[in-house]
Amino acid sequence: MSSMTKGMQSISFQEQPYLISSGSVVGKKEGEGPLGARFDMIDDTDQFGEKTWEAAESTMQKEACLMAIGKAGLKPQDIRYIYGGDLLRQGIATSMGVEALQIPMFGLFGACSTSGEALALSAMSVAAGYGDRILAVTSSHFGSAEKEFRFPLGYANQRPLSAQWTVTGSGAFLVGNQKSNIRISGVTIGKIVDYGLKDSQNMGACMAPAACDTVIQNFEDFGRNGEEYDHIITGDLGYVGTDILLDLVKKKGKDISAQHLDCGKLIYDQDSQDTHAGGSGCGCAATTLSAYVLPKIAAGEWKRILFVPTGALMSTVSYNEGESVPGIAHAVVLEHC
Amino acid sequence: MSSMTKGMQSISFQEQPYLISSGSVVGKKEGEGPLGARFDMIDDTDQFGEKTWEAAESTMQKEACLMAIGKAGLKPQDIRYIYGGDLLRQGIATSMGVEALQIPMFGLFGACSTSGEALALSAMSVAAGYGDRILAVTSSHFGSAEKEFRFPLGYANQRPLSAQWTVTGSGAFLVGNQKSNIRISGVTIGKIVDYGLKDSQNMGACMAPAACDTVIQNFEDFGRNGEEYDHIITGDLGYVGTDILLDLVKKKGKDISAQHLDCGKLIYDQDSQDTHAGGSGCGCAATTLSAYVLPKIAAGEWKRILFVPTGALMSTVSYNEGESVPGIAHAVVLEHC
């Protein structure tokens, strides 16, 4: 076995698996943001040639997958399995998006933590010898997500300042046993953490306790402190959730304020882009990881990163029935090699 | 490594993992059906002490998990990971259901194929040494599913004869490296198969091509024929889908009519229970596997079974936007040992 359990919730991998290539596809607003020049593909119409937001999101997933596969000089038939998910009911963006690739598929749902779940399962599968090349993909789309969780765009509802802006984007990651400059050295699988919050317009607050739980567990399982990571990068806590996370971690006797970054804060310019508490969605962490984080690890600028996408486990039905919004976060350790 | 890839889409395990225990929880109609006496728990109110169908489904998942864990003489903290999913938007039955167990969790979505996906991933994780005991759970509920995919129960819409009856039930399975009388010897992960069908009231027809694809792939990958299985048990094709599957398999030059069973046909009495084309839902295959199939394998009455849950990948949004309903099926090989 090339891998082993570590502590209560983690797995540690020796040498492989490697993160071989990735692809990022985004919409107009993301293209206009601080990371705009780094994305692989931008569609200024947000439609990606399709008639519905859902079909547009599916096409983004397909394009991101083809991008990651193509960068590695491979074809879809070279990929053994795909792990994918999105935010829409019954994961239709993934089902419709990856259908054309005809790769045996595991459908996932972990809300905005799905990119962590998909990367973890891809790494676990490659390390176990279940495939030489496995693809992880997630996406979100502002139009489809607003319609799913809040209101259709045409309703033009007003957004509170705690609300986040769902990223229109998809990121795909090719994980394999072929040497690259980035290896996945471990994962920490999160538990569901529920502080009883019920505000669907304040996802950052709902997810921050789960992020804290997973980060602290990662430290315990691997015997590390924040200083042993160049950065600890959460998925989409945004401005509100980040403050809560840093406070919660301090209460546990740790301080990660020097290392912490959040994709929801990185992807938009808060002053000029009117995105309130920052970016969110499955596509936020995935596209930021692909376009911004991975190149820095590959170049050796960052040696070890803890990537922690966070998810708010809710649906319109659970929300309307008065249920709270529990959170979950999965952590993936990425290292330069 | 205790495991290896097999053919294009399959994995073959040596010796472990074992299926250690399972739990089945169902509602009134399932309790009145042909398998009624075999289920672990029946609630004649279908409410499981809760006020909403969604909360009832969550409670079923929790009870099924506790049943499987309890039968093995264990506690939730003895379980390393849980793989779970359901049919509801954003998988809320699982999220809310397993929250109380506080087991690190992977959320899945594969429509009614989810029990196969969860069992496959649990087996893969145990075989790779990622945990000694891993839980797989899925569920469906007639009330929550009708509301999600068709109409709320109070609307009392008329059901066409091709429609299936969503099973109110949850099945949980404990997979581990501790010897039992049932081992998981292999899995075949399905691709998305789309024949372009668009009828959400005829799920069997939408899923049958995927079942055919996965069964034939399993035969190819393992070099087997139908005769090498005591039974090939699909999840919930029902009466309409079963006929289509047998025809499609024949067109591929194979005949599985002597071995084939379908959980959607087994769980209700078609003459007396007015369930039209049979049972369906994530809970159909899971509860039938737990209550009816596993005891026969454990007793040695059946030596080798191919369990093939099938899923229809749709949502109300994709359906209303005119998209087709692609299918997916995952196969799990279960053997007496």
Side-chain angles (χ1 to χ4, degrees):
Chain A
M1 268 306 303
S2 61
S3 53
M4 49 176 291
T5 57
K6 195 96 180 168
M8 293 296 290
Q9 298 174 220
S10 300
I11 297 168
S12 170
F13 306 110
Q14 310 300 323
E15 204 176 334
Q16 60 157 345
Y18 300 101
L19 214 158
I20 295 169
S21 62
S22 72
S24 59
V25 175
V26 298
K28 183 169 189 286
K29 200 174 188 86
E30 295 70 29
E32 293 167 349
L35 308 182
R38 300 168 190 256
F39 297 115
D40 292 318
M41 185 195 289
I42 301 168
D43 182 336
D44 279 340
T45 70
D46 289 348
Q47 294 272 34
F48 296 87
E50 303 289 347
K51 287 181 185 169
T52 66
W53 300 128
E54 291 74 19
E57 188 174 342
S58 296
T59 298
M60 283 197 300
Q61 283 217 5
K62 188 177 70 182
E63 293 299 332
C65 287
L66 290 173
M67 192 87 66
I69 295 169
K71 283 189 193 176
L74 300 167
K75 292 176 181 166
Q77 54 266 39
D78 299 320
I79 311 303
R80 187 155 180 100
Y81 297 126
I82 189 166
Y83 288 97
D86 58 75
L87 293 176
L88 300 181
R89 64 185 74 171
Q90 286 80 37
I92 48 163
T94 301
S95 295
M96 308 293 176
V98 307
E99 183 181 329
L101 305 176
Q102 286 294 294
I103 301 168
M105 176 218 182
F106 295 95
L108 307 181
F109 181 75
C112 306
S113 74
T114 308
S115 59
E117 185 183 355
L119 278 169
L121 286 166
S122 298
M124 288 160 65
S125 294
V126 168
Y130 298 143
D132 295 335
R133 290 174 290 271
I134 292 180
L135 203 58
V137 63
T138 62
S139 69
S140 54
H141 192 297
F142 181 76
S144 63
E146 285 296 300
K147 187 169 136 189
E148 176 75 34
F149 293 102
R150 285 144 203 124
F151 300 98
L153 295 187
Y155 181 77
N157 73 304
Q158 198 162 357
R159 301 159 54 79
L161 288 174
S162 63
Q164 292 172 250
W165 191 278
T166 303
V167 166
T168 298
S170 173
F173 306 90
L174 185 60
V175 179
N177 53 16
Q178 171 199 330
K179 177 89 171 69
S180 77
N181 290 324
I182 305 170
R183 74 184 190 94
I184 301 177
S185 62
V187 296
T188 302
I189 305 307
K191 293 184 294 191
I192 296 176
V193 180
D194 190 350
Y195 274 29
L197 296 169
K198 297 189 175 189
D199 186 355
S200 77
Q201 301 268 21
N202 189 354
M203 297 282 93
C206 298
M207 300 187 293
C212 173
D213 195 75
T214 299
V215 168
I216 294 293
Q217 190 66 48
N218 177 273
F219 289 179
E220 280 182 19
D221 287 352
F222 288 90
R224 286 181 189 148
N225 275 308
E227 293 76 33
E228 290 171 72
Y229 292 105
D230 289 305
H231 286 292
I232 294 168
I233 307 178
T234 46
D236 57 349
L237 295 180
Y239 291 88
V240 175
T242 291
D243 289 348
I244 298 172
L245 170 66
L246 297 179
D247 280 353
L248 289 173
V249 169
K250 266 193 191 139
K251 283 190 183 160
K252 297 276 185 184
K254 305 277 182 184
D255 187 348
I256 59 167
S257 52
Q259 292 85 35
H260 183 260
L261 293 173
D262 183 75
C263 301
K265 292 170 71 172
L266 292 165
I267 199 164
Y268 297 123
D269 184 305
Q270 204 192 14
D271 294 330
S272 69
Q273 290 196 289
D274 194 31
T275 46
H276 295 355
S280 69
C282 279
C284 179
T287 57
T288 304
L289 179 68
S290 172
Y292 179 69
V293 179
L294 293 182
K296 288 187 184 290
I297 304 175
E301 189 178 334
W302 293 344
K303 302 294 187 195
R304 188 192 282 153
I305 291 295
L306 188 66
F307 176 61
V308 193
T310 54
L313 300 169
M314 62 168 288
S315 77
T316 43
V317 175
S318 68
Y319 178 71
N320 288 329
E321 288 179 351
E323 300 284 353
S324 60
V325 182
I328 191 163
H330 304 297
V332 180
V333 185
L334 298 163
E335 299 189 14
H336 175 75
C337 63
Chain B
M1 269 304 304
S2 60
S3 54
M4 48 177 292
T5 58
K6 196 97 182 170
M8 293 296 290
Q9 298 174 220
S10 301
I11 297 168
S12 169
F13 305 110
Q14 311 299 322
E15 201 175 336
Q16 61 156 345
Y18 300 100
L19 214 157
I20 296 170
S21 62
S22 72
S24 59
V25 175
V26 297
K28 182 168 190 285
K29 200 174 188 84
E30 295 70 30
E32 293 167 349
L35 307 182
R38 300 168 190 256
F39 297 114
D40 292 317
M41 185 194 291
I42 300 168
D43 182 335
D44 279 340
T45 70
D46 289 347
Q47 294 272 36
F48 296 88
E50 303 290 347
K51 288 181 184 169
T52 66
W53 301 128
E54 291 75 18
E57 188 175 342
S58 296
T59 298
M60 282 197 300
Q61 283 216 6
K62 188 176 70 181
E63 294 297 333
C65 288
L66 290 173
M67 191 87 67
I69 295 169
K71 283 189 193 176
L74 300 168
K75 292 175 182 167
Q77 55 265 40
D78 298 321
I79 311 303
R80 188 156 179 98
Y81 297 126
I82 189 166
Y83 288 97
D86 58 74
L87 293 176
L88 301 181
R89 64 185 74 172
Q90 286 80 39
I92 47 161
T94 301
S95 295
M96 308 293 175
V98 307
E99 184 182 329
L101 305 175
Q102 285 295 293
I103 301 169
M105 176 218 182
F106 294 96
L108 308 181
F109 181 76
C112 305
S113 74
T114 308
S115 58
E117 185 184 356
L119 278 169
L121 286 166
S122 298
M124 289 161 65
S125 295
V126 168
Y130 298 144
D132 295 335
R133 290 174 291 271
I134 292 180
L135 202 58
V137 63
T138 63
S139 69
S140 53
H141 192 296
F142 181 75
S144 63
E146 285 296 299
K147 186 170 137 189
E148 176 75 34
F149 293 101
R150 286 146 202 122
F151 300 97
L153 295 187
Y155 181 77
N157 74 303
Q158 197 161 358
R159 301 160 53 79
L161 288 174
S162 63
Q164 292 172 251
W165 192 277
T166 303
V167 166
T168 297
S170 173
F173 306 90
L174 185 61
V175 179
N177 53 16
Q178 170 199 330
K179 176 92 170 67
S180 77
N181 289 325
I182 304 170
R183 75 184 191 94
I184 301 177
S185 62
V187 297
T188 302
I189 305 307
K191 293 184 295 193
I192 296 176
V193 179
D194 190 351
Y195 273 29
L197 296 170
K198 296 189 175 190
D199 185 356
S200 77
Q201 301 267 21
N202 189 352
M203 297 283 93
C206 299
M207 299 187 292
C212 173
D213 195 75
T214 299
V215 168
I216 295 292
Q217 191 66 48
N218 178 273
F219 289 179
E220 281 181 20
D221 287 352
F222 287 90
R224 288 180 188 150
N225 275 308
E227 293 76 33
E228 289 171 73
Y229 292 105
D230 289 305
H231 287 292
I232 294 168
I233 307 178
T234 46
D236 56 350
L237 295 180
Y239 291 88
V240 175
T242 291
D243 290 347
I244 298 171
L245 170 65
L246 298 179
D247 280 353
L248 290 173
V249 170
K250 266 193 191 139
K251 282 188 186 163
K252 297 277 184 183
K254 304 278 182 184
D255 187 347
I256 59 167
S257 52
Q259 293 84 35
H260 183 261
L261 293 173
D262 183 74
C263 301
K265 292 169 71 172
L266 292 165
I267 199 164
Y268 298 124
D269 183 305
Q270 205 193 14
D271 294 329
S272 69
Q273 290 196 288
D274 195 30
T275 45
H276 295 355
S280 70
C282 279
C284 178
T287 57
T288 304
L289 179 68
S290 172
Y292 179 69
V293 178
L294 293 183
K296 288 186 184 290
I297 304 174
E301 189 178 336
W302 292 346
K303 302 294 187 197
R304 186 192 282 152
I305 291 295
L306 188 65
F307 176 62
V308 193
T310 54
L313 300 169
M314 61 166 290
S315 77
T316 42
V317 176
S318 68
Y319 178 71
N320 288 330
E321 288 178 352
E323 301 284 352
S324 61
V325 182
I328 192 164
H330 304 297
V332 180
V333 185
L334 298 163
E335 299 189 14
H336 174 75
C337 64

